[in-house]
Amino acid sequence: TPASLGLFGAFLAVLTTEGGPAGPSLERLSETLRTVRAAENEALTQASQACASALLLNALPLCFAGLVVLVEPDVRTFYLHRFAGALCVTAMLLLIAGGWSWIERSLWGRSTRRRVAETRLRDVVSSLDLAAVVLGAGGTTAEALRLLHDRGPETIRSPIGELLARWRSGIGLSTVLLELPERAGEEYRAFASALVSTERDGAPVAALLARLGEEARLNRRRVAEIRARRLSVQLLLPLVCCSLPAVIIGAVVPLVVVSVGRVV
């Protein structure tokens, strides 16, 4: 994917400019890409299964109506030659169309706020990994910030640029880093605290950033799992509100009308 290629290019730039051992850096890169790929595949599998089940259930009214026509030919006459039959067919098709639209929104129509939150979680992981590579290769905190500004995720470049501008104006880097959560989001608070710690005290931060990256990846997986469980519940609503009424109106009601007409 373009995001994976961009991350790979950033890692190569770090190795070229900062040096350092290539093995751990490439291992971190492969771990990150494997995690991202696994999350994408899991989400795609869950969405495909839910989509197939929902579409099959939404097509159930047409299948049931066709079966009723085959078993009871008088129902076909009711559909074609009576006004009530035309109304039943029209109502059934409208309910099926509404169910399809509802299912599509449930599967793919994520809200803008949710998409932004997922993008931030992904970008936090990438930012942590890039900074860990720079610091692990012997780079400084300022060099890590410059790399994030040049090759980091799009959502972090502008806030990092503002922080670097304030640092160049004479404000201490530790003070500037404390502003990162306010400018980039609360997801970066632990990241900023780790950078402040290494800037003020010289504490080894590469291992800490690696642990924070792992926690961010786990958090991203949890969000994906919660979304998948919520999706299965959301898909019950079009079934109850659209598919079942379509079966009743499009197949059961005509069959009852034809049966009552014979008795009378």
Side-chain angles (χ1 to χ4, degrees):
T1 61
S4 299
L5 291 176
L7 187 59
F8 180 66
F11 270 82
L12 291 181
V14 171
L15 295 177
T16 302
T17 57
E18 304 297 336
S25 300
L26 291 177
E27 182 179 356
R28 178 183 297 278
L29 172 62
S30 62
E31 180 184 357
T32 300
L33 295 181
R34 282 196 301 266
T35 303
V36 171
R37 185 62 179 172
E40 292 176 351
N41 289 337
E42 183 179 355
L44 181 61
T45 300
Q46 293 171 344
S48 299
Q49 293 174 350
C51 182
S53 301
L55 295 180
L56 179 62
L57 291 174
N58 199 51
L60 182 63
L62 289 176
C63 299
F64 194 67
L67 179 63
V68 169
V69 169
L70 291 176
V71 174
E72 183 58 70
D74 289 342
V75 173
R76 181 175 56 187
T77 304
F78 175 77
Y79 284 147
L80 298 176
H81 301 289
R82 296 185 60 177
F83 180 71
L87 287 179
C88 289
V89 172
T90 302
M92 178 182 65
L93 294 177
L94 289 176
L95 287 170
I96 291 175
W100 280 82
S101 177
W102 198 336
I103 290 171
E104 184 178 7
R105 288 198 306 271
S106 298
L107 289 173
W108 314 116
R110 293 178 296 172
S111 65
T112 302
R113 181 180 301 178
R114 189 180 304 172
R115 287 196 296 268
V116 170
E118 293 175 359
T119 301
R120 284 181 175 176
L121 287 176
R122 181 193 65 206
D123 292 347
V124 167
V125 175
S126 300
S127 301
L128 287 167
D129 289 333
L130 286 174
V133 170
V134 175
L135 296 173
T140 64
T141 304
E143 291 171 342
L145 292 178
R146 281 195 291 267
L147 177 73
L148 288 175
H149 178 258
D150 295 336
R151 293 182 173 271
E154 292 292 338
T155 57
I156 194 65
R157 292 184 182 183
S158 178
I160 292 295
E162 296 172 359
L163 296 183
L164 288 174
R166 287 175 56 78
W167 172 61
R168 294 189 186 101
S169 67
I171 301 176
L173 188 57
S174 299
T175 304
V176 166
L177 285 170
L178 294 176
E179 301 175 5
L180 180 60
E182 300 177 2
R183 297 177 181 272
E186 286 297 319
E187 299 87 354
Y188 289 91
R189 183 168 296 280
F191 179 39
S193 299
L195 294 181
V196 169
S197 176
T198 191
E199 182 66 21
R200 286 179 176 175
D201 308 324
V205 75
L208 176 58
L209 290 181
R211 182 174 62 82
L212 291 177
E214 182 64 26
E215 291 178 356
R217 281 189 284 268
L218 291 175
N219 187 28
R220 187 181 176 191
R221 292 289 294 272
R222 284 194 294 268
V223 171
E225 292 173 358
I226 292 173
R227 186 175 68 249
R229 289 195 294 267
R230 185 182 300 161
L231 179 62
S232 61
V233 176
Q234 291 175 341
L235 292 177
L236 290 175
L237 296 177
L239 171 64
V240 174
C241 299
C242 296
S243 297
L244 292 181
V247 169
I248 295 173
I249 295 174
V252 177
V253 170
L255 185 60
V256 170
V257 171
V258 168
S259 300
V260 171
R262 286 178 178 175
V263 173
V264 175

